[in-house]
């Protein structure tokens, strides 16, 4: 009887350990986005009993394949604020085209007091930018880019302006496709008179 009980306990312990290990591996493999901390600030809220302090984190995420996002959140400690900011960034993702490891064309964008200008660069040039612009370009998978901040140096507004600029690239790509499809049917009627004249 004692031996049977020991065997049952051994089976239960083995099952529990195996399940725990497998779940941990699945969670690690599901990491889709890389993240980078842009800014952390301690903020205070005035209440009746005094002031309550908390932390505000600004985080940028990206899959290095043309998808980036920025999130801002508050928490009682830094780790909590970062976790909330990553979750917020996943709700505000921007998808943009990448051509030859750079952007297709030059664009300019503005968000509140921040204004930026981004230009495509040749192969081997690298990312010529600083602060939030460099982090977002790297997380988005851009390897060659020239960027410049023309307005405020606020990191949150600069990051938001970068997202607006990247979303403008997506809109410009759609317009090019629409204009190309509109021009193609116009070329066909012009060929018919030339063929009829050749037959006569």
């Amino acid at each position: 009887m004692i031996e049977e009980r020991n065997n049952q306990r051994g089976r239960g312990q083995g099952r529990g350990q195996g399940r725990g290990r497998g779940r941990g591996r699945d969670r690690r493999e599901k990491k889709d986005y890389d993240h980078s901390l842009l800014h952390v600030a301690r903020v205070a809220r005035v209440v009746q009993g005094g002031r309550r302090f908390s932390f505000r984190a600004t985080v940028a995420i990206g899959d290095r394949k043309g998808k980036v996002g920025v999130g801002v959140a508050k928490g009682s400690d830094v780790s909590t604020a970062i976790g909330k900011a990553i979750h917020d960034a996943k709700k505000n993702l921007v998808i943009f085209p990448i051509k030859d490891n750079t952007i297709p064309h030059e664009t300019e964008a503005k968000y509140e007091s921040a204004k930026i200008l981004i230009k495509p660069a040749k192969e081997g040039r690298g990312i010529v930018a600083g602060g939030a612009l460099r982090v977002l370009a790297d997380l988005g998978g851009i390897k060659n880019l020239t960027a410049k901040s023309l307005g405020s140096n606020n990191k949150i507004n600069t990051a938001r302006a970068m997202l607006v600029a990247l979303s403008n690239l997506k809109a410009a790509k759609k317009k090019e496709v629409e204009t190309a499809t509109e021009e193609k049917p116009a070329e066909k009627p012009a060929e018919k008179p030339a063929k009829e004249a050749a037959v006569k």
Side-chain angles (χ1 to χ4, degrees):
M1 294 293 292
I2 296 172
E3 293 179 357
E4 291 180 358
R5 290 178 183 177
N6 292 333
N7 292 333
Q8 290 177 358
R9 289 178 183 176
R11 292 175 184 174
Q13 291 177 357
R15 291 176 183 174
Q17 291 176 357
R19 291 177 183 175
R21 292 175 183 173
R23 291 176 183 175
R25 291 174 183 173
D26 294 339
R27 290 177 183 175
R28 293 175 184 174
E29 291 175 356
K30 289 182 179 179
K31 185 179 178 182
D32 298 330
Y33 300 98
D34 296 331
H35 68 274
S36 178
L37 184 62
L38 297 178
H39 184 64
V40 176
R42 193 178 76 161
V43 295
R45 183 181 61 177
V46 179
V47 295
Q48 188 175 1
R51 290 188 297 176
R52 291 185 180 179
F53 293 96
S54 59
F55 294 91
R56 183 188 65 195
T58 305
V59 178
I61 66 171
D63 62 350
R64 304 186 188 277
K65 297 178 182 179
K67 187 185 292 185
V68 292
V70 175
V72 181
K74 297 178 182 178
S76 58
D77 56 0
V78 176
S79 60
T80 303
I82 292 174
K84 291 181 179 179
I86 293 173
H87 183 70
D88 182 59
K90 291 181 180 179
K91 298 179 181 179
N92 303 314
L93 291 172
V94 172
I95 302 173
F96 61 94
I98 298 176
K99 183 179 179 182
D100 298 331
N101 294 326
T102 187
I103 58 177
H105 56 83
E106 176 183 338
T107 184
E108 188 175 323
K110 183 178 180 181
Y111 183 86
E112 293 186 1
S113 60
K115 186 178 180 181
I116 65 166
L117 174 68
I118 57 176
K119 298 179 180 180
K122 296 181 180 179
E123 187 68 28
R125 176 71 173 175
I127 301 175
V128 183
L133 302 179
R134 184 182 186 87
V135 173
L136 284 170
D138 184 35
L139 291 174
I142 301 174
K143 297 181 180 179
N144 304 290
L145 180 75
T146 302
K148 187 176 182 180
S149 177
L150 305 175
S152 173
N153 293 326
N154 185 291
K155 292 183 179 180
I156 298 176
N157 291 340
T158 303
R160 299 287 188 188
M162 184 65 169
L163 293 182
V164 175
L166 295 176
S167 63
N168 290 340
L169 293 175
K170 182 180 178 181
K173 188 177 181 182
K174 286 184 178 179
K175 289 181 181 178
E176 291 177 0
V177 174
E178 289 176 359
T179 53
T181 53
E182 290 176 358
E183 291 176 357
K184 285 181 180 179
E187 294 177 356
K188 293 181 180 179
E191 295 177 356
K192 289 182 180 179
K195 292 181 179 180
E196 291 177 359
V199 173
K200 289 180 180 180

